Amino acid sequence: MSYQTVYEEYTAEQKKLMSLTANSIQSTLRQYEVLLDLVAKEVTAYGELTDKNIIQKVMDSVVEVDNSMIGVGLFLPNGDVYAASSGVKLPANFNLLSQAENRESFQQTLASNKMVLGRTYQSEVLKTIAFPMRKSVVDPDGNALFVLSTVINIPKGFKFFFEGESNQNNSDLYLYRGSDRYFQIVLTHHQLDPEIYNYQIPQANIAQAFRTLKLKKGLSIEDIKANDLEVITTSVQPGSTSQAVSRYLPQYDLWAELTLDNDYVLGLFFKELQVLISIFVGSLLLIYLLFRGIATNEKRIKDALEHQASHDYLTALHNRFYLDQQLASMKKGSNYYLIFIDLDNFKAINDGYGHEIGDRVLCLVAERLQSLVSPQDVLVRYSGDEFIIVAFNKNESSISTFCQAIQSRLASPSMIGDYRFVLSASIGIAAFPEDGQDLDELKRYADLAMYEAKKIRNTITFFREDFKQAYKYRAQMEQELKKAILQNELYMMYQPQIRRDGGTLGVEALVRWENQLLGFVPPDKFIAVAETCGLMLPIGEFIIDQTFADITEIQNQTGLPVTVSINISVRQFQHNEFFDRLIELIEKHSFIHVELVLEVTENLFIDDVIGIQNLMKKIREKGIRISLDDFGTGYSSLSLLNQLPIDELKIDKSFVDDITTNSNTLAMVEGIIAIARRLNITTVVEGVETDEQRKILADLECDVFQGYYFSKPLKLEDLKAFLVSNTHLFNAK
């Protein structure tokens, strides 16, 4: 097993080496092709082939740039040499077509628009091993004007094989041609007979090597070529029965073979064997020492587990388990305050600077809190960025002063790494026994007080009885909301959207909830609850499904091309099945894509702009338009326009309310509409309630209007009547 592991690790490393080597070879060959293209460009820049001296200077400049190029020559289509770099002395009647080693590749070059590798051979003219590369240059009609040929010094051109990772062991590299099975390049770590370039690998050897591979691995030679695989085969080098890693280089029709060194593998195995024997002997000693130290280890483990059970692993503060134990063992008559501390915007620190910096911030907070609490007080890290302090022997005034000291201490600037932080916290406080009779109740009420403080941030809030009522109402709303869909309490209403020219464009779908216990619940209240308790996905699907059914019914009965806008929550849009489910519902109702607009808010883009961009592109590819809702109320609106595939801007009602009285608001709306028009984005303004507002917005060339001036939200039957009674508006000019 040890030998097999060593062998597999070695072959895996050799495959990796082959991949690197193959990529380097292809990259090197492409570089030479680029150099030939540069020479061709320079030569043809002078027009017809008249001045050989100029051409020679161009070739000499290329040879000077790359010393691995022995020389460059320009040959006519009949094979005659026209000009060559000054370092190459060719016979007067030198002709490539008259040479057996060059004839076939020269003819292939004339018929190809890519660089062709000539066969490597011992050149009597150049007195060296010649690795030729050729490329033809054609006129606009496709006729060959001439052929550029260069000869490469193999050790210099491919010296990377002897450097870096390639020099880790004594592997040899063989490249042979797929067309005629002659060796193209042989790079070895020992002296090699140049006659190897005259050796033609028998086809039977290659067929047998790949036949064996197909039997063992089920891989055909076509599979290897098509998938750029590195495979273990029998070596095809002359006189060898060893194994090698092989890979096909399709661009140049070359097979690369990297030999495996079995002696090297055995050496690694014997080193491993020595380690195994040492481990065996050491294990006997370890067992003796282990039994000797069992009692000591068990005690140490027990102490460590007890510490872990009662302490937070990151900050070393006590944890919630310790808090429960301490308060459970406390005397009944004890009075104390439970202070619930939650850091403001801590998620932004984790997201913006990373969790390592976030952890260091938490440790800093722990240190600062520890420096403020009295010895008799209890300080715990409750969870995440939440801390609890149980303070004894204090009244409400001293607790308030103490909490102010906490906020002041946290607000003191601090450097963590290269970053400067100024922290703040929202604090909720509950008193025992006035506010709660047990720890769970007290924590819940302190958490409610902290939740209220969180609405403003960096605030101290004592628990009040009305918090409990708000909590109960919210909990009751959550329970009723879970039953709302099953009991058909949710229903849809639609507010018409009117074009600037007076024509009805479409409607916005608005969900409503009427509950037997709670009565009518405004969307801004129950949507927030649905978002936090995980009900937004089924509610969102109901909205889409019911809207598609209603609008399809209207279209079938009236024949009017009504467009519908549907608000999509952040939770819906971020769900990984949102897009697929949307398409399923469209197909279910045979809904026409171009009649659908999805409205999203800027909050959607806070966490993952790139991921949301990709999803929006998929949606638009389906012919669905995207509208940016409540535009102008967020901090990133203008930057979003430049990044996102937005079709429509919906200007928030807050701008419309004082557009007739506030010149700054008017200027902002005018600027938004102008920017949208430049970007070819439709503008929709909501909350239009007066004719004066309508006229101003029409003069600013807003595209679409929505508001009580035109119509309040309508139920399905009322919407049908509205659309039918306004059919003439569809043809308004």
Side-chain angles (χ1 to χ4, degrees):
M1 290 175 62
S2 177
Y3 176 82
Q4 187 64 28
T5 300
V6 170
Y7 178 79
E8 289 175 356
E9 290 177 350
Y10 170 72
T11 54
E13 185 64 28
Q14 293 302 99
K15 286 182 178 180
K16 177 183 175 184
L17 178 58
M18 168 55 81
S19 178
L20 292 173
T21 302
N23 290 336
S24 298
I25 289 171
Q26 292 184 103
S27 177
T28 301
L29 294 176
R30 282 195 292 269
Q31 290 176 16
Y32 286 125
E33 186 168 1
V34 169
L35 287 175
L36 288 178
D37 287 338
L38 289 174
V39 173
K41 185 176 180 181
E42 289 294 321
V43 170
T44 55
Y46 295 99
E48 297 183 359
L49 303 177
T50 56
D51 194 333
K52 295 183 179 181
N53 291 330
I54 294 177
I55 295 174
Q56 187 178 63
K57 288 180 181 180
V58 172
M59 295 177 177
D60 287 346
S61 66
V62 174
V63 174
E64 288 176 5
V65 170
D66 191 338
N67 65 357
S68 67
M69 299 176 71
I70 297 173
V72 181
L74 188 151
F75 294 85
L76 300 177
N78 62 6
D80 289 340
V81 60
Y82 182 80
S85 56
S86 56
V88 178
K89 305 300 181 183
L90 299 176
N93 296 322
F94 186 80
N95 185 289
L96 287 177
L97 289 175
S98 65
Q99 296 185 318
E101 298 89 348
N102 291 307
R103 182 183 305 111
E104 183 178 350
S105 61
F106 186 80
Q107 292 173 338
Q108 184 182 353
T109 304
L110 291 173
S112 174
N113 60 356
K114 298 188 299 183
M115 185 177 76
V116 175
L117 304 183
R119 184 183 137 198
T120 305
Y121 66 100
Q122 178 69 42
S123 173
E124 296 300 329
V125 175
L126 299 177
K127 307 301 181 185
T128 185
I129 294 176
F131 175 12
M133 301 178 190
R134 302 188 178 93
K135 190 161 188 181
S136 65
V137 177
V138 300
D139 61 18
D141 296 326
N143 300 314
L145 295 173
F146 56 85
V147 172
L148 286 174
S149 179
T150 182
V151 176
I152 305 303
N153 182 305
I154 294 176
K156 289 183 179 181
F158 299 90
K159 63 181 179 180
F160 63 82
F161 180 74
F162 300 100
E163 301 172 350
E165 290 194 49
S166 299
N167 205 25
Q168 290 179 356
N169 54 61
N170 291 324
S171 300
D172 294 334
L173 177 67
Y174 294 81
L175 268 77
Y176 60 92
R177 298 157 61 84
S179 58
D180 52 21
R181 306 185 307 285
Y182 283 102
F183 285 107
Q184 189 74 58
I185 305 175
V186 178
L187 299 175
T188 67
H189 295 265
H190 55 272
Q191 194 65 31
L192 185 71
D193 185 357
E195 283 299 315
I196 192 170
Y197 290 108
N198 293 326
Y199 175 76
Q200 187 175 29
I201 304 169
Q203 179 61 39
N205 291 8
I206 297 176
Q208 179 60 37
F210 287 103
R211 188 181 304 116
T212 302
L213 180 65
K214 185 171 180 60
L215 291 174
K216 289 183 177 180
K217 301 292 184 179
L219 292 173
S220 67
I221 193 168
E222 289 76 16
D223 295 332
I224 299 168
K225 286 183 174 183
N227 298 289
D228 294 338
L229 300 178
E230 291 86 22
V231 294
I232 306 297
T233 63
T234 303
S235 175
V236 297
Q237 61 177 288
S240 174
T241 58
S242 62
Q243 289 187 308
V245 179
S246 295
R247 176 171 169 175
Y248 183 66
L249 282 61
Q251 186 172 355
Y252 300 102
D253 190 26
L254 294 176
W255 283 94
E257 177 184 287
L258 199 65
T259 58
L260 300 181
D261 189 341
N262 292 329
D263 292 337
Y264 180 75
V265 177
L266 286 173
L268 293 175
F269 165 66
F270 285 125
K271 289 181 181 179
E272 184 77 14
L273 188 61
Q274 292 174 5
V275 174
L276 291 174
I277 294 173
S278 300
I279 291 174
F280 175 73
V281 174
S283 298
L284 297 178
L285 178 62
L286 179 62
I287 291 172
Y288 168 74
L289 296 175
L290 181 64
F291 279 100
R292 183 181 176 182
I294 282 179
T296 303
N297 290 337
E298 284 186 346
K299 184 178 184 305
R300 185 166 59 248
I301 291 171
K302 180 181 177 182
D303 293 342
L305 289 175
E306 288 179 352
H307 184 273
Q308 291 175 11
S310 61
H311 287 76
D312 174 54
Y313 74 97
L314 177 64
T315 62
L317 296 178
H318 290 298
N319 58 18
R320 63 169 67 186
F321 174 74
Y322 177 84
L323 176 65
D324 294 343
Q325 281 188 322
Q326 288 296 106
L327 296 185
S329 62
M330 197 177 299
K331 293 181 181 180
K332 295 295 183 182
S334 301
N335 295 333
Y336 59 86
Y337 284 88
L338 192 146
I339 305 169
F340 206 117
I341 304 168
D342 183 87
L343 298 181
D344 296 330
N345 295 319
F346 181 73
K347 183 178 183 298
I349 295 177
N350 267 339
D351 294 343
Y353 301 94
H355 287 277
E356 182 179 352
I357 294 294
D359 288 347
R360 292 173 65 182
V361 169
L362 291 175
C363 291
L364 173 67
V365 171
E367 292 174 7
R368 292 185 173 182
L369 293 177
Q370 188 75 63
S371 68
L372 293 172
V373 298
S374 303
Q376 70 269 21
D377 296 340
V378 178
L379 168 63
V380 303
R381 182 189 177 201
Y382 191 67
S383 67
D385 60 334
E386 296 175 337
F387 298 83
I388 285 180
I389 298 175
V390 179
F392 301 92
N393 303 323
K394 289 183 174 65
N395 55 34
E396 184 172 324
S397 176
S398 61
I399 282 291
S400 180
T401 302
F402 175 61
C403 291
Q404 289 172 10
I406 290 175
Q407 290 185 323
S408 176
R409 186 78 178 91
L410 292 178
S412 177
S414 58
M415 291 296 297
I416 296 180
D418 297 329
Y419 308 108
R420 182 176 183 271
F421 292 96
V422 177
L423 305 174
S424 66
S426 299
I427 301 176
I429 306 166
F432 179 85
E434 292 89 342
D435 296 330
Q437 298 302 310
D438 58 56
L439 177 61
D440 287 337
E441 189 177 18
L442 206 63
K443 284 191 296 188
R444 185 165 65 250
Y445 294 155
D447 188 29
L448 287 176
M450 186 275 293
Y451 180 80
E452 289 297 318
K454 206 75 175 173
K455 293 178 180 179
I456 305 176
R457 299 190 186 278
N458 198 29
T459 304
I460 302 167
T461 303
F462 285 84
F463 174 74
R464 299 197 312 266
E465 192 64 27
D466 59 311
F467 293 172
K468 190 188 302 183
Q469 298 304 319
Y471 171 77
K472 289 182 178 179
Y473 178 74
R474 184 181 177 88
Q476 189 177 44
M477 185 188 299
E478 181 177 330
Q479 292 301 318
E480 293 300 315
L481 194 56
K482 290 178 180 178
K483 300 180 290 185
I485 297 179
L486 297 177
Q487 296 177 353
N488 296 319
E489 294 179 353
L490 296 174
Y491 60 94
M492 300 304 300
M493 297 187 74
Y494 304 93
Q495 187 170 29
Q497 295 178 330
I498 311 300
R499 295 196 304 267
R500 186 170 69 247
D501 60 12
T504 304
L505 173 72
V507 296
E508 179 183 6
L510 303 168
V511 66
R512 295 291 184 261
W513 181 28
E514 190 82 34
N515 180 260
Q516 185 175 0
L517 184 63
L518 303 175
F520 177 77
V521 184
D524 59 336
K525 291 188 178 296
F526 76 79
I527 291 296
V529 173
E531 288 277 9
T532 56
C533 68
L535 293 174
M536 198 58 237
L537 292 178
I539 291 176
E541 183 160 329
F542 163 80
I543 293 171
I544 296 173
D545 192 19
Q546 187 62 48
T547 299
F548 284 178
D550 289 346
I551 300 303
T552 302
E553 180 180 333
I554 289 175
Q555 292 173 340
N556 291 338
Q557 292 183 8
T558 67
L560 301 176
V562 181
T563 297
V564 63
S565 297
I566 302 177
N567 290 279
I568 304 298
S569 73
V570 174
R571 292 290 175 87
Q572 280 179 273
F573 214 87
Q574 291 178 336
H575 195 271
N576 55 10
E577 295 181 359
F578 169 73
F579 177 76
D580 294 335
R581 186 58 183 149
L582 176 67
I583 300 305
E584 288 178 10
L585 292 174
I586 288 174
E587 294 173 351
K588 170 186 172 182
H589 295 282
S590 300
F591 200 80
I592 302 174
H593 299 184
V594 295
E595 297 172 352
L596 176 61
V597 180
L598 300 184
E599 294 188 12
V600 297
T601 63
E602 293 177 14
N603 291 336
L604 178 66
F605 309 102
I606 291 176
D607 294 329
D608 182 14
V609 173
I610 295 177
I612 297 300
Q613 279 180 315
N614 295 334
L615 177 56
M616 290 175 74
K617 289 178 181 176
K618 289 174 61 179
I619 290 173
R620 292 187 75 199
E621 287 172 0
K622 289 293 183 180
I624 302 169
R625 290 183 288 145
I626 298 174
S627 174
L628 188 58
D629 198 9
D630 297 335
F631 183 79
T633 60
Y635 66 91
S636 60
S637 299
L638 292 179
S639 64
L640 288 176
L641 292 183
N642 194 39
Q643 298 179 52
L644 302 172
I646 299 296
D647 301 287
E648 178 181 287
L649 290 184
K650 200 162 190 184
I651 300 173
D652 189 67
K653 180 180 183 298
S654 60
F655 287 94
V656 180
D657 290 340
D658 59 349
I659 195 172
T660 60
T661 59
N662 190 319
S663 59
N664 290 334
T665 301
L666 177 62
M668 290 177 65
V669 173
E670 183 177 9
I672 291 172
I673 294 174
I675 292 172
R677 289 179 64 82
R678 290 291 299 271
L679 297 176
N680 199 26
I681 296 176
T682 301
T683 51
V684 180
V685 62
E686 58 184 358
V688 179
E689 297 182 354
T690 68
D691 188 55
E692 185 180 5
Q693 291 173 344
R694 181 195 65 79
K695 290 178 179 178
I696 291 174
L697 292 166
D699 290 340
L700 294 179
E701 297 187 353
C702 179
D703 298 307
V704 181
F705 302 87
Q706 180 179 338
Y708 274 51
Y709 176 77
F710 301 99
S711 173
K712 65 181 181 179
L714 303 172
K715 290 186 177 181
L716 180 61
E717 294 304 321
D718 295 330
L719 177 62
K720 290 179 185 177
F722 177 88
L723 294 174
V724 170
S725 64
N726 290 279
T727 53
H728 64 283
L729 295 178
F730 282 88
N731 298 318
K733 299 298 182 181

